Amino acid sequence: MPYCPKCGVEINYGVKKCPLCKFSLPPLEPDYTRKSYENFPNAQNIYDKKVKEFKKILYSVIKAICICSVFITIFYNFYVSGKLTWSKYSSVSIIAAMLYFYLMLDLQWDFKNFLIGGAINTFILLLLFDIFDGNLSWSIRLGLPFIVMTVCLLSIVYEVIKFTKNKFFNVAGYTLIALGLYCIGVNGFISLSIQGIFKLTWSIFVSIILIPLGLLLIYIHHKLPNSLKLKLKKKFHL
């Protein structure tokens, strides 16, 4: 609707004088060709786009720093020693760190892909360290089982927590149980590598503490009244 340019009162189309102040009005005709939604453009959420751009810039900076660090360490090691010694370890470590940052900052990777990519990156890093030592002695016998065990346990815990509707004490319980099982695996594979037998020593004491505590937290979570859960969540800002 048009308005009087003198007093601001709303007027109808075709009126020659303002009904309030009697101000002479020019001929006013409605514009039927203009669509109403043109005044209100579609809202666009640009937050995700800005986050992606920021992560790209951040990773570019990290990549440049890592590449420069690799060249500096190799040049310094070769300049001082005349051959590559310690710089081999530092260089592959820096490259591995750069790949870890890539996995963390890439928005197209979900948790599972990040876990698998991180495991592959870690195994290659350990394998190169083992090769630099002169022979393949521990990367396959110890490193690979630890990595596979870590991926399996984290995947299971992630899936369990993901499909859990009410998350509270049970999340800590699942985590403690997974840590207890991981300690058992680490202890067993180390004894198998050194002594040739899967033997548990220190992991028994650790798992006796972690696994029952985790089960207790899960039990408390399911037996705790909803009203008390809500109070605790508000208290701890969960």
Side-chain angles (χ1 to χ4, degrees), residues 131-190:
I131 293 173
F132 293 157
D133 289 338
N135 54 3
L136 294 175
S137 58
W138 54 268
S139 60
I140 297 177
R141 190 172 64 252
L142 287 176
L144 184 59
F146 290 169
I147 293 172
V148 172
M149 186 169 52
T150 303
V151 171
C152 292
L153 285 176
L154 287 179
S155 299
I156 293 173
V157 172
Y158 173 77
E159 291 297 330
V160 171
I161 295 175
K162 180 180 177 181
F163 291 101
T164 300
K165 294 182 179 179
N166 298 320
K167 300 177 178 63
F168 197 42
F169 287 136
N170 54 343
V171 175
Y174 299 140
T175 304
L176 291 177
I177 293 173
L179 285 175
L181 295 175
Y182 185 78
C183 290
I184 292 174
V186 169
N187 188 190
F189 280 113
I190 291 177

Side-chain angles (χ1 to χ4, degrees), residues 46-86:
I46 61 173
Y47 177 76
D48 292 338
K49 184 179 179 181
K50 288 186 176 180
V51 170
K52 289 181 180 179
E53 292 176 352
F54 173 76
K55 288 188 175 183
K56 287 182 179 179
I57 295 173
L58 179 61
Y59 179 69
S60 299
V61 174
I62 293 174
K63 183 170 64 174
I65 294 174
C66 290
I67 293 174
C68 291
S69 301
V70 169
F71 280 110
I72 291 173
T73 54
I74 292 176
F75 174 77
Y76 182 76
N77 184 204
F78 191 80
Y79 177 77
V80 173
S81 304
K83 59 180 180 179
L84 299 181
T85 54
W86 56 268

Side-chain angles (χ1 to χ4, degrees), residues 1 16 20 110 121 145 148 153 163 171 175 180 202 216 231:
M1 296 291 291
K16 296 182 179 180
L20 182 63
D110 57 11
N121 189 29
V148 172
L153 285 176
F163 291 101
V171 175
T175 304
W202 58 269
L216 178 62
K231 289 181 180 180

Side-chain angles (χ1 to χ4, degrees), residues 4-40:
C4 174
K6 183 178 180 181
C7 65
V9 70
E10 185 177 352
I11 58 178
N12 294 322
Y13 289 107
V15 176
K16 296 182 179 180
K17 288 187 177 182
C18 174
L20 182 63
C21 64
K22 306 303 179 182
F23 181 76
S24 298
L25 302 173
L28 299 174
E29 297 294 336
D31 186 5
Y32 295 106
T33 61
R34 186 174 183 180
K35 296 181 180 180
S36 59
Y37 62 79
E38 289 179 354
N39 295 327
F40 303 95

